[in-house]
Amino acid sequence: MIAVPSPRDTAARPLPPGTATGAYRRPPARPGPPPGVDLWLIPLDAAPGARVTAPAGRPGDAGRPVGGLGRAERSRALSLRDPATARRYVAAHTALRTLLGRYVGRPGSTLRWATGRHGKPVFEGELHAWHWSLSRSASHALLAVSRTAPVGVDIERITVPPRAVTPLASRFLPPAEAALVAAQPGTQARRAAYHGLLSRKESCVKAVGGRFSEGLRLPVATPGPVAPHPDALGGSGGGGDVARWLVDLPAPAGYVASLATVGRSPLPLRLFAWSAPGERPTVADLGTAPERPRAEPAGVAA
């Protein structure tokens, strides 16, 4: 378990792309309910040299499994034109259902959830105490699971062109944050800072089920408590329901990631890896059995 850093620990630090993916460990045989928030890092591409048991092609083609997913997920997978993007989508959502099923003790294929006005997924009925958030970008995904508070997680690949980073920061970010991006030492640091700030805002938006256009106004120059903003995410109403606590997460090289929780204090985190490095299961191997995570490697924009 790791502690969420305090604002004093992280204030005014740049946002480099994370490389400490070793922070995501193999889960214990029975991790049980999350003490705060459990985070799962999921690689979505087969490791070099890994045995692939499903043929290439679009999900839904002969031999390409989409079984176990819900109707909306299957429709989404089949609508994706790029085969690699479609395979990654299926891999992320198969892992999502596998892990959620293990937490709640049900086959993942049987899980159903509702969506809020802006697409935030929520369980209803007897599973209403469980909160989760899934994010995917290129070849990686992150899943956050909690029984304590609503959560929002975001992972982003750093893709902004070097020449565009400063103009884009000036256009889309508050002046203080645009200045923070411009002040970073070097192009790579500026690119990482820009995406890091966007990731923080996105995780806050996902935690409360808001719109990203509103979240752009949130002040997120440092992790820790997120001050309400009268024009962003219901900030004019105040109240504890929209209070957020923000933390940067370890991420693969070339990515940034963040987590936001609804509440006024940090929560303990556990970071797990969905498979050991170089041993990513294929989509066909993931399954939807309700058993708890085992001692063997199991490790996780939806």
Side-chain angles (χ1 to χ4, degrees):
M1 184 182 301
I2 63 172
V4 177
S6 70
R8 292 190 301 273
D9 295 333
T10 52
R13 291 185 183 180
L15 291 159
T19 57
T21 52
Y24 294 87
R25 304 296 186 182
R26 294 186 183 186
R30 295 184 179 275
V37 182
D38 282 0
L39 292 136
W40 294 81
L41 179 66
I42 310 176
L44 301 178
D45 290 342
R51 179 178 63 89
V52 178
T53 59
R58 290 170 51 79
D61 291 347
R64 216 30 222 169
V66 294
L69 302 186
R71 180 181 301 176
E73 292 166 307
R74 293 196 299 269
S75 176
R76 173 63 174 161
L78 293 170
S79 74
L80 296 170
R81 294 179 178 273
D82 178 61
T85 300
R87 286 195 298 270
R88 288 169 172 176
Y89 177 91
V90 172
H93 281 254
T94 305
L96 164 70
R97 286 184 172 273
T98 300
L99 289 167
L100 290 180
R102 290 172 176 177
Y103 277 112
V104 305
R106 298 182 181 183
S109 60
T110 68
L111 295 177
R112 300 290 183 267
W113 50 79
T115 55
R117 185 170 50 143
H118 301 301
K120 180 176 175 61
V122 292
F123 281 130
E124 297 180 326
E126 61 186 49
L127 298 182
H128 73 279
W130 288 93
H131 306 280
W132 60 273
S133 176
L134 176 69
S135 176
R136 60 184 177 89
S137 181
S139 61
H140 289 83
L142 268 175
L143 172 67
V145 182
S146 178
R147 291 192 66 185
T148 305
V151 293
V153 72
D154 183 71
I155 183 169
E156 292 198 17
R157 185 181 179 189
I158 299 171
T159 58
V160 61
R163 293 184 179 181
V165 60
T166 301
L168 287 174
S170 298
R171 178 180 178 183
F172 292 112
L173 300 179
E177 292 175 2
L180 178 63
V181 171
Q184 299 303 310
T187 301
Q188 289 302 105
R190 287 192 288 273
R191 296 174 72 217
Y194 174 70
H195 276 282
L197 290 165
L198 292 180
S199 179
R200 291 175 178 178
K201 294 173 189 288
E202 178 73 13
S203 62
C204 289
V205 168
K206 293 176 74 172
V208 300
R211 293 183 299 184
F212 187 65
S213 58
E214 297 174 337
L216 284 172
R217 302 179 182 180
L218 281 173
V220 295
T222 59
V226 179
H229 189 284
D231 298 323
L233 300 179
S236 59
D241 289 344
V242 296
R244 288 162 294 277
W245 195 278
L246 183 63
V247 60
D248 293 331
L249 299 172
Y255 290 75
V256 293
S258 61
L259 169 76
T261 59
V262 173
R264 298 185 179 277
S265 60
L267 296 174
L269 306 183
R270 299 190 303 182
L271 275 59
F272 297 135
W274 177 262
S275 81
E279 298 180 11
R280 182 206 167 267
T282 65
V283 172
D285 295 326
L286 292 176
T288 55
E291 72 272 11
R292 293 180 181 273
R294 300 164 290 182
E296 67 189 34
V300 10

